[in-house]
Amino acid sequence: MWVTGEAYEPYVGRWSSQVAHRFVRWMGAAPRESWRDVGCGTGAVTRAVLDLADPATVVGLDPSAGFVAYARRTIADHRARFVLADAESLPFADSSASVAVSGLVLNFVPDPDRAAAEMARVVRPGGLVGAYVWDLGDGGMEIIRAFWDAASALDPEARALDEAVRFPLCARAPLGELFVRAGLEDVEVDGITVPARFADFDDYWQPFLGAQGPAPAYVATLPEERRGALRERLRSALPRAEDGSIPLRARAWAVRGRRPG
């Protein structure tokens, strides 16, 4: 579903970077710690850690060779390195890190409970574990909510593909419960909202033609006539500012907890 950073960044990567910075500050980790960025993607969380947390080291990992290559190419910092690995089987020893985090990943993992348990395993006792996912369940990720509302109005079969239906983890209560089941203490969940303003309709629509992610993958299956109908329904439905820009918001749910001990 996710292959290259070049397609991901204009779609949601630009908003993820804003959320990542607020998330890293919210984690409240001490300086000079050892971090693990699970499902690092294009490196948004790693960049935020390097910019804001004064880490000793950050190891980012992702199962996508394209994403790992993109992160290596765009992040030149001796404190960071990137490896190919799976969130359900982290290639780190027990208690080998101080902080383990994951941005916009856990809903795509086949077994999120396994991934959360792995993140808890690799941090030392007293270490921090954190994650964030887009608010798909309550509609706070307006970029994606607007798309699926339009798609479902034109195609009843699209309702089954709606990310709010497919990813029930992406809501406040399920995310907190995931960390509690992983055995973490002092679990907190909070919302992080950032503005997502598009210069014009093309700025909004073009990333959906990249065929990566659930919504762009759906667009790629449509014949031209149906794709055009979806485009025009979105064009008429999205809000417009006086300058022609499209003012939306992107909200994520963030969760953090501490390994007992």
Side-chain angles (χ1 to χ4, degrees):
M1 185 169 293
W2 301 112
V3 181
T4 68
E6 287 77 9
Y8 176 83
E9 282 299 310
Y11 177 45
V12 290
R14 47 183 160 171
W15 321 119
S16 173
S17 297
Q18 296 180 46
V19 174
H21 277 71
R22 292 179 56 178
F23 168 74
V24 168
R25 290 192 184 97
W26 181 73
M27 285 296 297
R32 308 305 299 163
E33 299 281 28
S34 173
W35 290 65
R36 302 290 182 265
D37 180 6
V38 178
C40 64
T42 58
V45 175
T46 294
R47 287 189 197 89
V49 172
L50 293 168
D51 290 345
L52 302 171
D54 188 23
T57 59
V58 189
V59 182
L61 62 103
D62 201 280
S64 166
F67 275 176
V68 168
Y70 186 96
R72 287 172 176 165
R73 187 169 64 251
T74 57
I75 298 178
D77 190 305
H78 71 276
R79 297 170 295 172
R81 66 184 179 92
F82 299 93
V83 298
L84 277 170
D86 191 293
E88 295 180 18
S89 184
L90 299 180
F92 310 118
D94 295 358
S95 307
S96 57
S98 309
V99 188
V101 291
S102 179
L104 307 180
V105 170
L106 292 181
N107 56 298
F108 292 107
V109 175
D111 188 347
D113 281 277
R114 171 82 176 166
E118 278 287 274
M119 292 170 69
R121 175 185 68 79
V122 301
V123 300
R124 57 173 171 73
L128 291 169
V129 179
Y132 64 91
V133 295
W134 290 126
D135 171 19
L136 302 173
D138 295 326
M141 182 41 164
E142 293 179 344
I143 302 163
I144 295 175
R145 183 70 266 138
F147 175 89
W148 287 115
D149 285 348
S152 297
L154 295 171
D155 176 12
E157 293 183 3
R159 293 189 180 94
L161 304 175
D162 187 331
E163 288 156 86
V165 175
R166 292 178 57 197
F167 301 130
L169 177 64
C170 295
R172 178 189 285 272
L175 192 61
E177 291 161 4
L178 175 72
F179 269 40
V180 170
R181 291 195 301 272
L184 297 166
E185 297 180 340
D186 303 323
V187 173
E188 300 177 65
V189 181
D190 202 2
I192 299 175
T193 302
V194 298
R197 182 176 290 270
F198 296 85
D200 52 29
F201 180 74
D202 283 345
D203 190 29
Y204 174 87
W205 174 250
Q206 285 298 317
F208 285 99
L209 305 181
Q212 287 191 61
Y218 170 75
V219 173
T221 69
L222 298 176
E224 184 56 40
E225 182 178 351
R226 290 176 59 192
R227 188 181 305 174
L230 175 57
R231 180 181 62 244
E232 294 312 308
R233 188 174 187 93
L234 277 165
R235 190 192 299 275
S236 64
L238 289 168
R240 296 295 180 94
E242 289 185 3
D243 62 359
S245 64
I246 298 173
L248 298 175
R249 64 174 183 162
R251 183 169 69 192
W253 291 119
V255 62
R256 65 185 174 190
R258 191 176 297 276
R259 180 176 168 180

